Amino acid sequence: MHPAEAAKPLIKFNHCKKYIYSFSVPLCCPLCQQVMSSRKLEEAPVSISNPFTNGHQEKCSFLLRPTQGTFLREYDGRSDLHVGITNTNGFRMTPVLVAGVVYNYTMHGVQRDEAGWEQSVSIPLLQPGMYGLMDQWDKYLEDFSTSGAWLPQRYEEDHHNCYSYTLTFINCVLTTEGKGQLDKGEFTEKYVVPRTRKASKYITLYRGIEEHGFYVTDCPEEETNPSEGSGVC
């Protein structure tokens, strides 16, 4: 997989009683062609946060990306998705940039990727301040990944796959911490769906701007973003 290109910044501003999205603030409104030099406060542009992140810079996280291509380019909403778990390298402050490793399970067994997850949806798995668990994270992840359950010949596309691998690891950590386990539906609905819904809206905006130069909405829904600081474990 080739590295994902960096996304252009996405801007939203208010004009003509519409919300207008673009990659930069134009000199004139694309709807009425009026010069936009003097704006009211409520018409001031705001930056739209990018829901995608470089997974190799995320520590102790669940990552989601298209199996082929990237979210902003090839993903069509029906394409297969691939998931993985990051180690703690993305957290290391060293003189030399250290790429975080993404552990993921495929038909070839457990993979330890140092590239290929540069445009991912990320879900932090640890709550702030859990330094004791973070210190053991890499050992837990490596020991878990070398167990016989994740050999190549055990892989089944529908029943023993990358999602099985990540969720089983998360539940092992939850058990270690004395917490209740999560089933696939609960984890998906509570942690994955809110972020993928936000990502889907962003993709629509991004591609619309690329095609037409701007994107217009009447009255967008107020989005409730999932808390970035709260982890699963």
Side-chain angles (χ1 to χ4, degrees):
M1 171 184 287
H2 55 78
E5 62 181 282
K8 303 169 190 174
L10 205 157
I11 305 295
K12 179 182 79 171
F13 56 94
N14 184 354
H15 207 267
C16 296
K17 298 182 180 180
K18 303 283 187 181
Y19 281 92
I20 304 172
Y21 299 81
S22 63
F23 292 133
S24 61
V25 180
L27 293 176
C28 299
C29 171
L31 300 180
C32 68
Q33 305 305 315
Q34 192 177 65
V35 176
M36 298 178 55
S37 57
S38 59
R39 302 186 193 90
K40 299 176 183 178
L41 180 60
E42 61 269 21
E43 295 177 350
V46 295
S47 177
I48 303 299
S49 62
N50 187 339
F52 307 115
T53 183
N54 184 342
H56 300 285
Q57 296 177 0
E58 299 294 320
K59 66 183 187 298
C60 309
S61 295
F62 172 97
L63 299 184
L64 179 77
R65 66 161 172 79
T67 302
Q68 301 292 332
T70 66
F71 277 113
L72 290 178
R73 292 297 176 197
E74 293 84 4
Y75 185 64
D76 63 3
R78 299 180 301 276
S79 308
D80 289 339
L81 295 170
H82 192 44
V83 299
I85 301 282
T86 63
N87 68 356
T88 62
N89 275 3
F91 183 61
R92 253 177 228 173
M93 301 297 292
T94 64
V96 180
L97 179 63
V98 179
V101 178
V102 182
Y103 284 65
N104 58 100
Y105 184 52
T106 73
M107 66 177 66
H108 304 294
V110 175
Q111 308 299 301
R112 297 162 178 80
D113 297 340
E114 295 184 5
W117 299 75
E118 289 80 9
Q119 192 180 101
S120 303
V121 171
S122 176
I123 300 172
L125 296 176
L126 295 188
Q127 297 177 15
M130 299 187 71
Y131 301 114
L133 182 52
M134 187 182 295
D135 288 342
Q136 297 297 316
W137 187 268
D138 289 351
K139 183 179 186 305
Y140 287 160
L141 187 53
E142 186 61 35
D143 289 348
F144 174 81
S145 300
T146 54
S147 71
W150 312 111
L151 293 172
Q153 58 268 32
R154 298 289 301 276
Y155 182 85
E156 294 180 19
E157 185 173 355
D158 295 326
H159 304 293
H160 195 71
N161 51 31
C162 60
Y163 212 109
S164 310
Y165 168 82
T166 55
L167 187 57
T168 303
F169 175 74
I170 290 169
N171 279 325
C172 284
V173 174
L174 288 170
T175 299
T176 301
E177 293 296 298
K179 298 179 180 179
Q181 298 195 352
L182 296 167
D183 61 33
K184 182 177 180 180
E186 183 182 4
F187 178 78
T188 302
E189 188 65 28
K190 186 173 182 179
Y191 297 102
V192 178
V193 170
R195 286 171 171 81
T196 54
R197 187 177 291 130
K198 180 181 177 182
S200 178
K201 292 178 180 178
Y202 190 91
I203 291 170
T204 298
L205 293 174
Y206 196 93
R207 291 180 180 172
I209 296 169
E210 283 207 315
E211 183 176 356
H212 303 291
F214 61 94
Y215 190 94
V216 180
T217 62
D218 288 321
C219 186
E221 299 175 6
E222 290 293 328
E223 294 184 11
T224 300
N225 295 333
S227 173
E228 296 298 330
S230 80
V232 178
C233 301

